[in-house]
Amino acid sequence: MNLEELGNLFVLYGLNILYALGLILLGWWAAGLVERLVTRGLESTHRVDATVVGFLASIARYAILVFVGVAVLQRFGIQTTSLIAVLGATSLAIGLALQGTLSNVAAGVMLLLFRPFRIGDAVEVGGQAGTVKGLSLFTTELATGDNIQVLMPNGRVWGSPIVNKSVYGERSFAFALELKPDADIERVLAEGLAFLRSDPRVRKEPGPSASIVKMALDRVEVNFSGWASSGDAGGVRADLIARLREITRMRDIPRDVAPVANGHDGNREAPAARAGAPLSPP
């Protein structure tokens, strides 16, 4: 091979490489554009759920990228029919290598079909709790309570129990505390119940309740409960705790009242401390 033929090959393959790079960049831009157009078009109808919108937009984007990849291979003289034959012969190896990725895609399809949650729902799944922000071809996006992004593989989401706190619209909340037997328990019950009844976020039917649930020689346990919307239940409960702290201070009821674990709303509570316990060692 002389220098002239070598130069011709260099020019030919150099142009092909430049063409492939340009095609890849153009395809990447086009894939993003198609994804945005699909998203805007589906959102403008106001009839398609946001979860479906994100999933279909992801499929459109990856379809464009696959088309660009095939075009680049053809530019270098690789026939797609031969490529399909090679892929068919090595399908087992490819399937084993990509089984995690393919399982995420399959799980994404199942999540899209059965719709265990929607965009904006508060969920607990796979050891993570947060608000659903999106569902793509491979991952589910959550935002935690302190607004941190969590990306979970769809396979992990579909294979774990999903606790959806928003699906029914309303849920119960409860708070239990311990007092000394000589405390003014009736006053605590009355004022705590009055606070719940005056809060507009608390449902009137069924109304809130307050009662003594356990008695012992050294302590009395009282419980407050009620119903509120899924978005307000946590806030109502936090305000109730703050109000009970104020009541104990104003009425000189033994302090250091701490919550007792309960199973109404699934929240974790701090370990209970008996009323009147000293704040520091004697």
Side-chain angles (χ1 to χ4, degrees):
M1 180 179 294
N2 54 37
L3 293 178
E4 183 178 356
E5 293 178 350
L6 184 61
N8 292 334
L9 289 176
F10 180 79
V11 171
L12 176 62
Y13 284 102
L15 291 176
N16 285 336
I17 292 175
L18 292 177
Y19 175 83
L21 291 176
L23 189 60
I24 290 173
L25 293 177
L26 180 62
W28 191 271
W29 174 82
L33 178 62
V34 169
E35 183 179 20
R36 291 192 295 271
L37 290 176
V38 171
T39 301
R40 292 175 184 174
L42 293 177
E43 288 179 345
S44 64
T45 62
H46 302 290
R47 296 181 178 180
V48 183
D49 186 77
T51 310
V52 180
V53 171
F55 194 84
L56 294 180
S58 297
I59 291 179
R61 179 175 183 271
Y62 286 108
I64 296 296
L65 293 177
V66 169
F67 176 79
V68 170
V70 172
V72 170
L73 292 176
Q74 287 183 335
R75 182 64 183 179
F76 286 96
I78 301 176
Q79 299 297 323
T80 55
T81 54
S82 301
L83 180 62
I84 293 174
V86 173
L87 291 178
T90 58
S91 59
L92 179 60
I94 294 175
L96 292 175
L98 300 178
Q99 59 180 344
T101 302
L102 295 177
S103 66
N104 288 330
V105 175
V109 173
M110 299 301 289
L111 290 172
L112 182 64
L113 291 177
F114 290 96
R115 309 281 290 280
F117 50 72
R118 299 173 183 269
I119 302 297
D121 285 355
V123 300
E124 292 182 9
V125 58
Q128 297 289 339
T131 303
V132 179
K133 292 296 184 180
L135 173 64
S136 66
L137 199 60
F138 301 103
T139 61
T140 298
E141 180 183 356
L142 302 179
T144 62
D146 47 357
N147 204 31
I148 296 177
Q149 183 189 54
V150 178
L151 296 177
M152 300 184 63
N154 288 335
R156 181 179 174 186
V157 175
W158 180 250
S160 303
I162 300 174
V163 179
N164 192 333
K165 300 179 180 178
S166 304
V167 67
Y168 294 128
E170 297 181 358
R171 63 188 180 98
S172 65
F173 62 89
F175 178 71
L177 57 85
E178 293 180 354
L179 296 170
K180 283 187 175 181
D182 58 352
D184 195 344
I185 299 172
E186 288 75 12
R187 183 173 295 171
V188 175
L189 291 173
E191 296 199 18
L193 186 59
F195 172 79
L196 291 177
R197 287 174 175 171
S198 64
D199 195 320
R201 297 171 295 178
V202 180
R203 294 291 183 260
K204 306 304 179 184
E205 292 293 337
S209 63
S211 61
I212 299 175
V213 295
K214 186 184 298 184
M215 294 189 65
L217 294 177
D218 58 345
R219 67 184 184 277
V220 176
E221 182 178 324
V222 296
N223 183 77
F224 298 87
S225 63
W227 287 79
S229 66
S230 299
D232 292 335
V236 172
R237 189 174 179 280
D239 292 343
L240 172 64
I241 295 173
R243 178 55 182 165
L244 291 175
R245 293 286 293 178
E246 293 178 1
I247 293 172
T248 57
R249 289 171 179 170
M250 290 188 302
R251 302 301 182 182
D252 198 28
I253 297 173
R255 295 169 58 183
D256 302 331
V257 178
V260 178
N262 63 81
H264 286 271
D265 57 359
N267 295 328
R268 292 183 177 179
E269 308 294 350
R274 294 184 182 178
L279 296 177
S280 59

